[in-house]
Amino acid sequence: MTQRRPLFKHIRNHATLFDELSRYRDAAVKNLGYADYEFHKTPMFVTPEGARLTIEPERSIVVPSVTTFSGLKTKLSSAIPTLTMVPKSEIGYRYPTAALAGKDAPFIKRMRSEYFHRVDEDRSICRPVNLSYGIKSRGKADNRLEYEVWMPDEAPDQNPLPLLIDRYGEDLPADIRHFVEQSSKVHGWMGVKRAAFEALYTNTQECGNLIMCISMSVDAYNIGAKPDLSYSPEAESSIALSNAEFEWEIEGYYAPRNWKFEHDMVWHAINHTLASLSTPLDDMYANHILPIAESKTERILSTLASLGVQQQEIDALNLQPWEFLSSHSEHRVKAHDPSRSVNLLGRLNRLFYQPEQKLPSLNWLHDLTA
């Protein structure tokens, strides 16, 4: 397995992981016969008025079951002759996502924590290693706004606004800045297993000399039935919903050395590349795609609402996402036995390891989609 998916050995070391990933990407470009090309990150999007926005050039489809994506990479490669998978780019993540803002909020506010097993630990346990805090525009509209920062390990509950200002500066829109200032509240949780990989796309007519880099992922996920992940009589489980999603996102492009950047040309290439995958995917999965206009974070909110979870219940819980970084809560007790504290981490693990709705392993996901 290490030989086939060498990036897995760096799963706990992001700096090394992304260095190695870029090395495999560079090698794939050279193997296509392109010499003296340089990698560029996805640029800021500049509006006609001159505003600089951080845009997420991403699309996705949602299906009922992850098994629907069997053979996905082979099918895509056959359908799009100029799409080349990057060898050895397979990597995987397991993480819970919290919805921190309700359905009436102008944007989506979320907290996400990556999870790993400790060495020689029971494989039915996942532990958090970090938290990211993100703001997105709502829905699944084209090229949504996206702003995200990592919260410091020693202070995961600090105000994220200074971190966002430090990272994005004048590119942080005022409405995003003001939304960040509003207090966050956990509305619900989702557990995710993500199998990620990369591809290169070329089309001289639409993209010129650029080689577009596409980051793809297959997500299998469970949504908690209650904001605190406890058992829900309505769902007869602590998991309310299980689906799968395939996402494809432009992470950058290769251009000839000394190529002169053209904003509109690059964004035309980005949008064309995203659309070039949409057509064959719509054809391949026409009978399976769920007509969902919500992001995964928004689906947490609508799923909980469908079970009758009231805002008063969420307010009373007043859950904070960093509480799930520790095994036990000092001030939360079980409703039926006040002498016993709530193991929030244990509840979170149910999203990954509840026997009846257990999320698949990362290697299994990659084997499925090969």
Side-chain angles (χ1 to χ4, degrees):
M1 193 61 69
T2 302
Q3 292 301 314
R4 285 198 296 142
R5 297 178 186 132
L7 293 181
F8 268 63
K9 66 176 176 287
H10 304 303
I11 200 167
R12 302 183 190 212
N13 186 334
H14 275 192
T16 303
L17 169 63
F18 292 120
D19 281 346
E20 286 291 289
L21 188 55
S22 65
R23 190 167 65 86
Y24 289 125
R25 192 191 308 129
D26 290 344
V29 170
K30 290 181 180 178
N31 286 339
L32 288 175
Y34 295 92
D36 214 21
Y37 267 60
E38 296 178 315
F39 178 74
H40 300 262
K41 291 289 290 181
T42 301
M44 293 280 182
F45 181 79
V46 182
T47 69
E49 297 76 29
R52 289 162 52 85
L53 304 175
T54 300
I55 297 294
E56 176 191 41
E58 178 190 88
R59 305 290 184 271
S60 69
I61 56 172
V62 177
V63 298
S65 171
V66 71
T67 55
T68 301
F69 292 128
S70 176
L72 171 66
K73 288 201 282 189
T74 299
K75 293 174 183 177
L76 272 178
S77 298
S78 298
I80 309 173
T82 59
L83 183 72
T84 303
M85 298 298 167
V86 176
K88 301 181 180 179
S89 65
E90 296 91 345
I91 188 59
Y93 307 94
R94 53 174 65 83
Y95 58 86
T97 293
L100 305 183
K103 291 181 75 68
D104 295 332
F107 298 95
I108 281 292
K109 189 183 289 189
R110 76 176 186 196
M111 190 76 82
R112 189 162 65 181
S113 173
E114 289 189 48
Y115 265 52
F116 301 106
H117 299 294
R118 288 177 178 169
V119 176
D120 298 326
E121 185 174 46
D122 181 345
R123 300 298 287 182
S124 66
I125 296 174
C126 269
R127 296 189 181 276
V129 293
N130 48 37
L131 287 172
S132 69
Y133 175 94
I135 303 288
K136 282 190 179 184
S137 45
R138 299 193 72 98
K140 298 179 76 172
D142 289 355
N143 301 339
R144 292 174 296 159
L145 299 178
E146 180 182 37
Y147 301 89
E148 187 172 25
V149 291
W150 291 106
M151 305 299 289
D153 294 339
E154 68 278 6
D157 56 344
Q158 80 169 71
N159 179 5
L161 183 57
L163 298 173
L164 285 161
I165 293 174
D166 182 61
R167 174 165 179 180
Y168 296 103
E170 70 274 12
D171 299 319
L172 190 65
D175 50 357
I176 294 286
R177 180 191 295 246
H178 300 154
F179 183 58
V180 175
E181 291 176 327
Q182 302 174 18
S183 60
S184 300
K185 189 176 295 179
V186 174
H187 287 71
W189 290 84
M190 172 186 289
V192 183
K193 291 282 187 74
R194 166 169 289 181
F197 50 95
E198 294 193 353
L200 304 172
Y201 174 79
T202 57
N203 183 317
T204 54
Q205 184 174 347
E206 300 289 347
C207 305
N209 292 326
L210 303 185
I211 305 169
M212 309 306 294
C213 303
I214 312 171
S215 178
M216 306 185 191
S217 64
V218 171
D219 293 355
Y221 60 85
N222 291 329
I223 297 177
K226 291 286 185 179
D228 67 343
L229 304 174
S230 58
Y231 179 87
S232 167
E234 294 84 1
E236 297 185 338
S237 172
S238 59
I239 296 175
L241 184 69
S242 299
N243 281 161
E245 182 178 46
F246 175 60
E247 298 180 352
W248 61 104
E249 178 177 3
I250 305 301
E251 60 178 342
Y253 59 93
Y254 282 83
R257 191 177 296 274
N258 299 322
W259 177 80
K260 185 179 179 181
F261 173 74
E262 297 178 42
H263 174 273
D264 292 352
M265 184 270 179
V266 169
W267 276 97
H268 174 80
I270 287 172
N271 289 318
H272 163 76
T273 303
L274 292 171
S276 71
L277 271 73
S278 295
T279 300
L281 286 168
D282 287 343
D283 292 340
M284 285 188 279
Y285 299 109
N287 297 327
H288 303 279
I289 294 175
L290 300 177
I292 293 171
E294 299 173 314
S295 68
K296 287 204 296 293
T297 308
E298 288 176 296
R299 293 202 71 199
I300 297 172
L301 304 173
S302 59
T303 300
L304 294 181
S306 71
L307 293 175
V309 175
Q310 300 294 317
Q311 186 65 44
Q312 298 92 310
E313 179 181 352
I314 295 169
D315 294 342
L317 283 168
N318 192 30
L319 279 170
Q320 301 300 315
W322 41 87
E323 291 187 71
F324 287 79
L325 288 173
S326 56
S327 297
H328 296 278
S329 168
E330 295 181 359
H331 59 284
R332 299 199 186 279
V333 296
K334 295 182 182 291
H336 65 281
D337 187 354
S339 67
R340 296 169 60 193
S341 63
V342 172
N343 185 335
L344 296 174
L345 182 58
R347 288 184 174 179
L348 198 58
N349 272 312
R350 293 181 197 173
L351 286 174
F352 296 97
Y353 297 113
Q354 186 167 314
E356 295 79 12
Q357 293 168 282
K358 188 175 180 179
L359 293 177
S361 75
L362 300 175
N363 274 314
W364 184 91
L365 280 170
H366 278 296
D367 289 341
L368 173 79
T369 57

